[in-house]
Amino acid sequence: MTPLRAPLARYAERLHRAAGDTHHVASPLGAWLLLALTGPAATGETRAALTDALGADPDDAAADARALLAAPHPMVAAATALWERTPAAELAAWRAALPKDTERGALPDQAALDAWARERTAGLIDRFPVDVTPDTLLVLASALATRVSWADPFDTAPGTELGAGSAWSGRLSRVLRTPPFGHRCWVASTDRAGDVAVHAVPARTGDGAGMLVVSVAAAPEVAAAEVLAAAQELASAAALVPDSMPGRRSLFDLPLGETPLWTLREEPVNTFAPDGREERATAVLPCWSARSRHDLTAPGSGFDAAARALGELLGLTGPEFDAAQSAVARFGRYGFEAAAVTAFGMVAGLPPEGVARVAELRFGHPYAVVAVTTDPAGGPWHALPVYSAWVADPDELPADEAG
């Protein structure tokens, strides 16, 4: 399998750079998964464009996406879906290569898509990110959702503990303080953002699977995109090695005093440290929540190439499309929850006018009913008639079912 950390970090930088330095949350993985599932349909220049957006060969990326979705992490509920107005034979090979658990069906209305978003994110996202119109041909979507509790919850502290130079200290009455054990706090040296303050808090399931939420703060003048890129690197490195503190700087190499990122002091202590020098770090940080919608139609997102790839299979030149992601997250004293729904919809002009015949079938006299079992593996129960009936004396609808 192609290592995913580098391609995802590259795509995350694109997505967050487009979002800028406004308060937001996103799931680069959710968007990348949709591009990866579309990639095998691409050829020629379109394939090259998708390779650039994915940071990997489209076939390799698709294989990685299928592997992720086939064995979802216990802390990340994952779902994908493909809905089509009329399944096109030209898309059969691409459709067949989608993950086997991808939901498939006729294109639903907006209310049903909104319900899908709510159900797949445990209510965290209540509206599907793209609109379906009469000329929408298909919609491909992914949903990711997480709700975890910290192994060691935070303590609390007055908001003033954020420091006199913090604009938040005057408006937040209470903030979070790390407990004595279970959290990691350190100062790290990074190439992208210089020296940064790092906090990492774990959540774990009973079987050992876990999630690590890493917060990274740089000097105020460092651009958001650089801090986000540094955080991607630190979070991956910290998750790879249990209890590690990647890039950690000794506190004895830093000047004493106060900065926007930390206050450093010395105090006498009894210690068994071989050199008599002990280092300790705690952290204070605010609770936060964010709700964002990201337009993914810009060329850098890769979805323009995805639309061209499917359009070329259908014989459409430059098909219109819509692509967007809705994301939400909350970070608090006892845990973390987040969800993202990413959707890609392809649009074509309305088909030519024609004529349709519509029948309403009526079972108004005696008729037959047969119930058969099915087995996709073709076992002995497949197509076996189990129950049958001749309906000649129907019942009245029960009163309690008439509403």
Side-chain angles (χ1 to χ4, degrees), residues 23-354:
H23 185 70
H24 73 273
V25 61
S27 173
L29 173 60
W32 189 92
L33 284 173
L34 283 196
L35 286 183
L37 296 181
T38 308
T43 59
E45 293 182 0
T46 301
R47 186 178 181 88
L50 272 173
T51 299
D52 179 64
L54 289 165
D57 176 81
D59 290 332
D60 291 341
D64 290 341
R66 288 193 295 269
L68 285 176
L69 294 167
H73 191 279
M75 289 188 170
V76 183
T80 54
L82 170 67
W83 299 286
E84 299 174 88
R85 192 170 297 282
T86 301
E90 295 88 345
L91 298 181
W94 169 73
R95 189 185 300 117
L98 292 173
K100 65 180 181 63
D101 290 332
T102 296
E103 301 172 46
R104 303 155 199 256
L107 191 64
D109 61 17
Q110 198 69 46
L113 290 174
D114 292 346
W116 185 87
R118 286 192 297 273
E119 291 166 3
R120 298 301 178 274
T121 64
L124 292 175
I125 292 177
D126 57 8
R127 194 176 191 287
F128 200 72
V130 302
D131 295 328
V132 172
T133 64
D135 52 355
T136 300
L137 290 178
L138 62 85
V139 172
L140 183 65
S142 71
L144 304 175
T146 293
R147 183 174 275 129
V148 299
S149 298
W150 306 134
D152 297 284
F154 285 90
D155 295 330
T156 65
T160 53
E161 294 297 307
L162 292 173
S166 169
W168 300 338
S169 65
R171 67 180 181 87
L172 298 175
S173 59
R174 303 296 294 177
V175 294
L176 306 176
R177 182 188 295 282
T178 50
F181 304 100
H183 295 215
R184 284 179 259 169
C185 306
W186 73 99
V187 175
S189 174
T190 71
D191 294 334
R192 300 290 295 267
D195 286 347
V196 297
V198 188
H199 168 262
V201 53
R204 293 185 179 89
T205 63
D207 63 2
M211 176 172 285
L212 189 69
V213 180
V214 179
S215 303
V216 176
E221 65 271 13
V222 181
E226 301 302 318
V227 184
L228 283 159
Q232 289 271 346
E233 295 177 4
L234 288 168
S236 292
L240 280 171
V241 181
D243 300 321
S244 66
M245 298 182 184
R248 179 177 174 272
R249 292 199 63 185
S250 171
L251 299 182
F252 287 95
D253 293 337
L254 300 172
L256 297 174
E258 185 164 341
T259 75
L261 292 176
W262 55 74
T263 296
L264 187 58
R265 67 182 189 277
E266 284 188 0
E267 59 186 35
V269 64
N270 296 320
T271 179
F272 291 107
D275 60 359
R277 302 200 307 177
E278 184 175 294
E279 298 188 31
R280 295 196 301 262
T282 61
V284 288
L285 59 165
C287 298
W288 62 268
S289 65
R291 184 176 295 272
S292 303
R293 184 183 186 278
H294 302 281
D295 181 354
L296 300 177
T297 58
S301 71
F303 285 92
D304 57 332
R308 290 199 305 274
L310 295 182
E312 288 164 3
L313 292 179
L314 293 168
L316 302 174
T317 302
E320 296 183 13
F321 72 98
D322 192 9
Q325 180 183 93
S326 293
V328 62
R330 299 185 186 94
F331 182 104
R333 182 178 183 184
Y334 296 104
F336 174 74
E337 60 183 18
V341 174
T342 310
F344 163 63
M346 205 167 75
V347 177
L350 293 174
E353 291 188 3

